[in-house]
Structure formats: C-alpha cells, structure tokens
Amino acid sequence: MKTAFRSCLLGPVALGYGVIGRMRNLIAAALIVAGGAAAAEPVTVAALGDSLTQGYGLPQGDGFVPRLQAWLAANGADAEIVNAGVSGDTTAGGLARIDWTLTPEVDALIVTLGGNDLLRGIDPATSRANLEAILTKAAERDLPVLLIGMEAPGNYGPDYKVEFDAIYPDLAQRFGTLFAEGFFAPLMQDGADPAALTPFMQPDGIHPNAEGVAKIVEGLGPKVLDLIAQAQSS
C-alpha cells in the first residue's frame, strides 16, 4: 500500500521532469540551428567607388558589381557585394558618404577611387588625405579593406605622376590593407601598350565595356576572395 501510494506521488513528478528534459532538448536544438544560420550568413562587402564601380554605360547585369557577385558565387564564396559606386565621384565624394556607406551590416570594404581626381587634376596631396580618412574610418570599425590603385597619366608631368602613383601602395602598407595595383591592370596582362586596351573599352576610352569588365573581375576576383576570408576570420 505504501509502495502504491509512493508511486502515485512520484508519477506526476517524474512526468514533469521528462517534459522539462524534452523542452531543454528542443531549446538546445533550436539554439544550434540558429547558430548555424547565423554562421551561414553571407559576408557583406561595400564597394565604394565612382563610375567604374557603378557600372557606367553598361546594362545592369554587365557592371562591375553584378559581374563580381556572379564570379564569387561561381568560385564558392558566400558574399553580397553592395554597389556603393557613384558616377563622377572623387575621393572627396567618397569620403563624404563613407559614414552612411559603412552600415552595421558591412563586413568588408573595397575602395576604388581616384580616377576623377586625375581627370580634374586634383592635387595628389588632397587625394591622399581623402583616401587616408576613408581608410581610417574603416580601421575604426576593424573592417578589412581592399584598396585598388589608380595610375596617373603622364600629361600632368613626371612629378605629379610619381606623387599620385605612390598614394595607393603607401596607404595600403600603412593601414595593412589588401592591395591591387590598378583597376585596369588585368587588361594590361597581354602587354603594356595602351592600345591593347581598346577592344575592352567603351567608345569614351575611359570606361570598360562588358568584355573588359569580365576580364577585370577575373583579375581582381582572387583579391576579393582574400578580403572575404579576412572578414570571415575577424
């Protein structure tokens, strides 16, 4: 009789513990799934630039950002590239909008600015100061950066060219960023003759055509993969 009575008392208690145990298991499983989903979120990369980044003169799918997005997907990278390119922007313009470009979702930054500084003959010291300020903003957020260089033409004189061309490798070394020698460098692999660029350029001679963008993406893509790897490890 005492045994039966004890069983009646313990039965509901044991049942309660069983329910609690199952609930704990369900909660643990949900946390694991949530953690896995968070880990699977793509890396968000902001591409800060001018018309070269924005995709001037091209159908939407042929621009630099969508082509890069497709290349990364084909090479197994889970990343979202945000097109922060504004046609006509100088380094000053990029600096003016860097704060709202670097939203909390951004994990890494590509900087391709300086081409319009060259077209306007802006003092290289000014361009350097603007790019330095942009990289400082990224460093304050501990964001990995890929800095893509620009090369000055010779029509401003040798002193201007030397001073401008030095900006990008100098800043990349100082801030410890990834560095690509030039946006158009992948088009020059078959020879240094500027005439070799003609088949890959739009009629304005400034912006790449769809074929040119495809070659540029193939050349810069591995650098972007390195950038994504840095973001994932940080």
Side-chain angles (χ1 to χ4, degrees):
M1 183 69 176
K2 288 182 179 179
T3 301
F5 181 70
R6 188 178 295 113
S7 298
C8 289
L9 290 177
L10 292 178
V13 175
L15 178 61
Y17 279 122
V19 171
I20 292 173
R22 286 194 293 274
M23 289 179 64
R24 285 175 177 168
N25 291 338
L26 288 172
I27 292 171
L31 289 173
I32 291 171
V33 171
E41 290 182 358
V43 172
T44 299
V45 181
L48 181 70
D50 49 33
S51 56
L52 298 177
T53 299
Q54 182 265 335
Y56 175 87
L58 294 170
Q60 185 174 1
D62 288 335
F64 175 72
V65 168
R67 281 293 185 97
L68 178 59
Q69 184 81 66
W71 188 94
L72 292 171
N75 284 271
D78 189 13
E80 178 184 356
I81 311 299
V82 177
N83 193 339
V86 173
S87 186
D89 238 2
T90 61
T91 55
L95 176 58
R97 55 192 177 85
I98 186 63
D99 285 328
W100 55 264
T101 297
L102 297 182
T103 63
E105 294 77 20
V106 171
D107 302 305
L109 179 67
I110 300 172
V111 179
T112 312
L113 286 165
N116 288 304
D117 295 50
L118 290 172
L119 290 175
R120 301 180 188 188
I122 292 173
D123 185 346
T126 300
S127 301
R128 177 185 287 267
N130 291 333
L131 288 169
E132 181 178 350
I134 289 171
L135 296 180
T136 298
K137 293 282 188 180
E140 290 171 353
R141 282 273 311 273
D142 293 323
L143 296 178
V145 176
L146 169 60
L147 180 61
I148 300 178
M150 291 284 166
E151 185 175 341
N155 56 304
Y156 294 120
D159 292 341
Y160 184 101
K161 179 173 175 58
V162 168
E163 186 177 357
F164 189 93
D165 291 358
I167 293 172
Y168 298 89
D170 287 355
L171 290 179
Q173 182 175 17
R174 176 180 168 187
F175 285 88
T177 74
L178 293 167
F179 175 60
E181 290 185 3
F183 187 82
F184 292 105
L187 301 183
M188 302 292 288
Q189 292 178 352
D190 297 329
D193 184 359
L197 295 178
T198 303
F200 306 111
M201 302 297 288
Q202 296 181 39
D204 63 10
I206 297 174
H207 300 92
N209 57 27
E211 186 179 356
V213 170
K215 288 183 69 70
I216 289 168
V217 166
E218 288 177 5
L220 294 179
K223 292 282 188 181
V224 181
L225 288 177
D226 291 342
L227 179 70
I228 292 168
Q230 285 192 7
Q232 290 172 328
S233 63
S234 61

Coordinates of all heavy atoms in Angstrom, one line a residue, residues 5 14 25 44-45 70 81 86-87 92 107 115 139 141 151 159 202 219 231:
F5 N 1.2 4.0 -3.0 CA 1.0 5.4 -2.6 C 2.2 6.3 -3.1 O 2.0 7.3 -3.7 CB 0.7 5.6 -1.1 CG 0.5 7.0 -0.7 CD1 -0.7 7.6 -1.1 CD2 1.4 7.7 0.0 CE1 -0.9 8.9 -0.7 CE2 1.2 9.0 0.4 CZ 0.0 9.6 0.1
A14 N 7.8 12.6 -11.9 CA 8.7 12.1 -13.0 C 8.3 12.5 -14.3 O 9.1 12.8 -15.2 CB 8.7 10.5 -12.9
N25 N 15.9 19.9 -24.5 CA 16.5 19.3 -25.7 C 16.1 20.1 -26.9 O 16.8 20.4 -27.8 CB 16.1 17.9 -25.9 CG 16.8 17.0 -24.9 OD1 17.8 17.4 -24.3 ND2 16.3 15.8 -24.6
T44 N 29.1 40.7 -46.2 CA 28.6 41.9 -46.9 C 29.8 42.8 -47.1 O 30.5 43.2 -46.2 CB 27.5 42.6 -46.1 OG1 26.4 41.8 -45.9 CG2 27.1 43.9 -46.8
V45 N 30.0 43.0 -48.4 CA 31.2 43.8 -48.9 C 30.7 45.1 -49.5 O 29.9 45.0 -50.5 CB 32.1 43.1 -49.8 CG1 33.3 43.9 -50.2 CG2 32.6 41.8 -49.2
A70 N 28.6 37.5 -59.4 CA 28.5 36.2 -60.1 C 29.8 35.4 -60.1 O 29.8 34.2 -59.9 CB 28.0 36.4 -61.6
I81 N 27.8 41.8 -52.5 CA 28.5 43.0 -52.8 C 27.5 44.1 -53.0 O 26.6 44.1 -53.8 CB 29.3 42.8 -54.1 CG1 30.1 41.5 -54.1 CG2 30.2 44.0 -54.3 CD1 31.2 41.5 -53.0
V86 N 29.3 55.8 -57.2 CA 28.6 57.0 -57.7 C 29.3 57.6 -58.8 O 30.5 58.0 -58.7 CB 28.4 58.0 -56.6 CG1 27.8 59.3 -57.1 CG2 27.5 57.4 -55.5
S87 N 28.7 57.7 -60.0 CA 29.4 58.2 -61.2 C 29.8 59.6 -60.9 O 29.0 60.5 -60.4 CB 28.4 58.1 -62.4 OG 29.1 58.5 -63.6
A92 N 37.0 62.9 -52.5 CA 36.3 63.8 -51.6 C 34.9 63.3 -51.5 O 34.3 63.3 -50.4 CB 36.4 65.2 -52.0
D107 N 30.7 44.1 -43.6 CA 31.8 43.3 -43.0 C 33.2 43.6 -43.6 O 34.2 43.3 -43.1 CB 31.6 41.8 -43.2 CG 30.2 41.4 -42.6 OD1 30.0 41.6 -41.4 OD2 29.4 40.8 -43.3
G115 N 40.1 58.1 -59.9 CA 40.0 58.3 -61.3 C 39.5 59.7 -61.7 O 40.1 60.4 -62.6
A139 N 39.2 51.4 -40.5 CA 40.0 50.9 -39.4 C 39.3 51.0 -38.0 O 39.5 50.2 -37.2 CB 41.4 51.6 -39.3
R141 N 36.3 50.7 -37.5 CA 35.3 49.6 -37.5 C 36.0 48.3 -37.6 O 35.3 47.2 -37.5 CB 34.4 49.8 -38.7 CG 33.3 50.8 -38.6 CD 32.1 50.3 -37.9 NE 31.6 49.1 -38.5 CZ 30.8 49.0 -39.5 NH1 30.4 50.1 -40.1 NH2 30.5 47.8 -40.0
E151 N 46.6 54.8 -61.6 CA 47.8 55.2 -62.1 C 47.6 56.5 -62.9 O 46.8 56.5 -63.8 CB 48.5 54.2 -63.0 CG 49.9 54.5 -63.5 CD 50.5 53.4 -64.2 OE1 50.1 52.2 -64.1 OE2 51.5 53.7 -65.0
D159 N 56.5 64.7 -62.0 CA 56.4 64.9 -60.6 C 55.0 64.5 -60.1 O 54.8 63.9 -59.1 CB 56.7 66.3 -60.2 CG 58.2 66.6 -60.4 OD1 59.0 65.7 -60.5 OD2 58.5 67.8 -60.5
Q202 N 34.8 51.1 -73.7 CA 33.6 51.8 -74.4 C 34.2 52.9 -75.3 O 35.4 53.3 -75.2 CB 32.7 52.4 -73.3 CG 32.0 51.3 -72.5 CD 31.1 51.9 -71.5 OE1 30.3 52.9 -71.8 NE2 31.0 51.4 -70.3
G219 N 40.6 39.2 -62.9 CA 41.9 39.6 -62.3 C 41.8 40.0 -60.9 O 42.7 39.7 -60.1
A231 N 37.4 38.8 -43.6 CA 36.2 39.2 -42.9 C 35.7 38.0 -42.1 O 35.2 38.2 -41.0 CB 35.2 39.7 -43.9

